């Protein structure tokens, strides 16, 4: 694939709601997990986990395509979820995962996925869209800043591991 931008009319982003779309998303999700060092032996569990997350409404999954046919393979995915905004007595959305296959990067796919999540959050009445990324991920930071995201100052991110060492993230 070339590094030229994908024309907007050729790029299609869709929420995964069917078994078929979740199966296609699971292939990308496994690539995303392996990109971050997770072993491929859990690949068989992925479709079940993704299906459970979507059916329970804990996670929404979006996939991006450049091929207009219905049986095309996705080239990117994003996941998001809703979080209570207690002080505003509303909801905000969090972009959880974003992945574009290496051959389709720097072509507008990630921006299209983030925009789809943003539009869905706005339509749902969310008060904001937030995300977390590694501080040394310059490509992601550049993308997010270019889309209008700003660093959050004055907060510390803390975590308490509750799972046994073999299942921790």
């Amino acid at each position: 694939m070339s590094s030229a931008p994908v024309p907007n009319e050729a790029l299609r982003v869709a929420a995964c709601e069917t078994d078929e779309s979740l199966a296609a998303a699971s292939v990308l999700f496994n690539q995303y997990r392996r990109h971050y060092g997770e072993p491929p032996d859990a690949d068989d569990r992925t479709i079940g986990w993704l299906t459970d997350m979507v059916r329970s409404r804990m996670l929404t999954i979006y996939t991006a395509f450049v091929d207009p046919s219905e049986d095309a393979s996705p080239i990117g995915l994003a996941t998001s979820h809703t979080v209570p905004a207690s002080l505003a007595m509303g909801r905000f959305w969090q972009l959880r995962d974003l992945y574009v296959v290496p051959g389709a990067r720097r072509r507008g796919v990630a921006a299209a996925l983030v925009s789809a999540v943003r539009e869905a959050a706005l339509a749902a009445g969310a008060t904001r869209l937030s995300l977390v990324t590694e501080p040394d991920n310059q490509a992601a930071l550049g993308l997010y800043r270019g889309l209008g995201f700003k660093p959050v100052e004055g907060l510390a991110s803390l975590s308490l591991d509750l799972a046994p060492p073999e299942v921790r993230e």
Side-chain angles (χ1 to χ4, degrees), residues 83-85 88 91-94 121-122 125-130 149 152 155:
V83 179
R91 295 184 179 123
F92 75 90
W93 277 35
Q94 185 174 44
L122 282 169
T127 58
R128 74 177 179 268
L129 176 61
S130 67
F149 287 84
V152 177
L155 296 179

Side-chain angles (χ1 to χ4, degrees), residues 19-102:
D19 291 342
E20 294 79 18
S21 64
L22 286 167
S26 74
V27 173
L28 278 181
F29 196 75
N30 284 330
Q31 292 174 23
Y32 167 73
R33 292 181 70 250
R34 283 192 293 277
H35 174 78
Y36 281 100
E38 293 300 318
D41 57 88
D43 289 359
D44 293 339
R45 295 183 340 183
T46 302
I47 186 66
W49 185 83
L50 289 177
T51 300
D52 180 49
M53 292 294 108
V54 169
R55 301 281 188 260
S56 66
R57 298 179 190 254
M58 292 181 70
L59 202 60
T60 302
I61 302 169
Y62 301 86
T63 48
F65 304 84
V66 290
D67 184 334
S69 67
E70 290 299 316
D71 61 344
S73 296
I75 59 168
L77 75 88
T79 68
S80 67
H81 69 99
T82 305
V83 179
S86 303
L87 296 178
M89 291 192 295
R91 295 184 179 123
F92 75 90
W93 277 35
Q94 185 174 44
L95 177 64
R96 293 288 305 159
D97 307 294
L98 182 64
Y99 178 75
V100 175
V101 297

